[in-house]
Amino acid sequence: MEVCGTHTHEIFRLGIRKLLPKQVELISGPGCPVCVTPVSFIDEAIYLALEKEVTICTFGDLVRVPGTNMSLAGAREQGAKIHVVYSPADAEKYAGEHPDEQVTFLSVGFETTTPAGCLSVKAAREDGLDNYSILVANKTMPQAYEALKDSADVFLYPGHVNAITGTRLCEALTEEGVSGVVAGFTAKELMTALAVALVKFQEGKPFFVNCYPRVVTQDGSREAQLLVDEMMEACDCEWRGLGVIPKSGMKLRQEWQEFDARLKYQMPKIEGKPNPACRCGDVLQGKCKPSDCKVFGKGCTPQHPIGACMVSGEGACSAYYQYS
């Protein structure tokens, strides 16, 4: 199972699937942060934009992800202010330049992007901004590996995440019977990781190998880890398709809660309802391929997406549509 959306796209783009023996199957997992973000999060962002008249700063992929009734693009058509940024720092800067607007950044992603969200909050306090907040949907990967450990024989671990976390967590998972290799993103690095996985799998016992040592170390980025530990704490979190996974999400600690959009705007509990025709949840669990979905390539295309996996540049459905 590829646990990184970039791996999915690169494996397709490089034609690696066609090189593998028939008994080896690659399935996509929950490695796209936009894809695993639940419908309820999109609905929360739309609530802030339309009901509270908050300016939403977001990465571009999230704009077209369908919510229960509309996407952020649909909310923008109704007058909502949706501002696309390339980093949380851009959102914090925008808030500083527009003191008459309340600004919320949609903070999604895994361990790779969480530190940047924390830095934007720290900068907002240092700059004395009272019009900046973040709507947090950051997630941590180890709990997802445990939830999906029976879905695949071997995980292709994401190099970007492990560059931050290090390899100790993945090493520890072997004690629970979970096998995997950390892979880079070039053709050589991906082929090396797959070759190592096949050789180790035939030994018949759980294993872990770091096949991306030029970037990934055992300890990872201690600076990033300490920053996140200082400002955030674990919480139960909903993943699209996987449901609520205990302690797999992040939220701002009490001393930083003035920047928590849910608390700042006293947001009510919002339950999202995904389109029943969409099988993104099954794709993210490796239960089906995107092409198994009845609306794939027909009712659901990159121009008119029904599910998040077709929207995101890291989504499995967009990879299948583009390359196969």
Side-chain angles (χ1 to χ4, degrees):
M1 175 178 278
E2 313 131 15
V3 196
C4 174
T6 304
H7 280 160
T8 298
H9 277 256
E10 283 302 288
I11 286 170
F12 261 120
R13 189 182 68 82
L14 295 166
I16 290 176
R17 273 181 167 80
K18 298 177 182 178
L19 303 178
L20 297 175
K22 292 182 179 180
Q23 64 268 36
V24 178
E25 182 182 9
L26 289 176
I27 57 176
S28 300
C32 164
V34 171
C35 301
V36 298
T37 300
V39 172
S40 58
F41 181 80
I42 303 299
D43 292 346
E44 286 179 321
I46 292 171
Y47 170 84
L48 289 177
L50 292 179
E51 300 297 327
K52 299 296 184 178
E53 299 183 346
V54 173
T55 298
I56 298 296
C57 287
T58 178
F59 298 135
D61 279 0
L62 275 175
V63 174
R64 298 174 60 241
V65 174
T68 299
N69 298 312
M70 69 182 82
S71 64
L72 287 167
R76 182 165 55 191
E77 292 174 358
Q78 295 190 16
K81 294 197 70 170
I82 311 298
H83 182 66
V84 174
V85 295
Y86 293 98
S87 72
D90 289 343
E92 193 269 344
K93 180 181 179 182
Y94 180 92
E97 294 173 345
H98 298 79
D100 56 330
E101 298 179 29
Q102 290 295 320
V103 178
T104 294
F105 173 70
L106 304 186
S107 185
V108 302
F110 304 124
E111 289 91 339
T112 315
T113 56
T114 304
C118 291
L119 285 174
S120 76
V121 169
K122 183 169 283 192
R125 176 172 284 182
E126 292 172 353
D127 293 339
L129 301 185
D130 60 4
N131 66 327
Y132 181 72
S133 62
I134 61 175
L135 186 64
V136 182
N138 295 90
K139 295 172 171 59
T140 52
M141 290 304 303
Q143 294 82 0
Y145 302 146
E146 293 176 343
L148 290 167
K149 64 182 179 182
D150 296 326
S151 300
D153 297 304
V154 182
F155 285 117
L156 197 63
Y157 289 129
H160 292 150
V161 168
N162 286 93
I164 300 296
T165 65
T167 61
R168 294 185 188 276
L169 291 171
C170 296
E171 292 167 10
L173 285 171
T174 61
E175 299 176 5
E176 300 180 32
V178 179
S179 295
V181 293
V182 178
F185 300 91
T186 66
K188 180 179 179 180
E189 288 165 341
L190 284 165
M191 290 297 289
T192 298
L194 290 167
V196 169
L198 293 181
V199 171
K200 296 293 290 183
F201 178 71
Q202 293 178 77
E203 295 177 2
K205 57 184 180 181
F207 63 89
F208 168 77
V209 181
N210 178 13
C211 296
Y212 196 26
R214 70 184 178 92
V215 172
V216 175
T217 63
Q218 190 174 48
D219 293 326
S221 172
R222 290 296 298 155
E223 293 85 355
Q225 294 166 24
L226 289 171
L227 173 67
V228 174
D229 287 344
E230 173 195 347
M231 299 183 64
M232 289 192 168
E233 59 186 352
C235 64
D236 298 345
C237 186
E238 181 184 357
W239 297 56
R240 187 188 297 262
L242 303 180
V244 176
I245 301 179
K247 302 300 181 183
S248 66
M250 303 298 290
K251 67 177 182 179
L252 289 169
R253 292 186 181 275
Q254 185 174 357
E255 53 267 39
W256 297 93
Q257 285 182 352
E258 68 206 75
F259 298 99
D260 187 326
R262 291 186 179 92
L263 298 177
K264 182 175 183 177
Y265 298 104
Q266 299 179 338
M267 188 180 297
K269 179 68 175 177
I270 296 177
E271 299 285 350
K273 295 180 180 179
N275 189 317
C278 175
R279 296 193 67 187
C280 272
D282 291 334
V283 170
L284 293 169
Q285 296 176 78
K287 290 183 176 181
C288 76
K289 295 179 180 179
S291 52
D292 296 329
C293 179
K294 292 182 179 180
V295 297
F296 173 79
K298 300 170 185 175
C300 184
T301 66
Q303 292 74 33
H304 301 283
I306 290 177
C309 297
M310 185 62 86
V311 176
S312 173
E314 295 183 351
C317 293
S318 68
Y320 271 72
Y321 186 91
Q322 183 174 352
Y323 296 109
S324 68

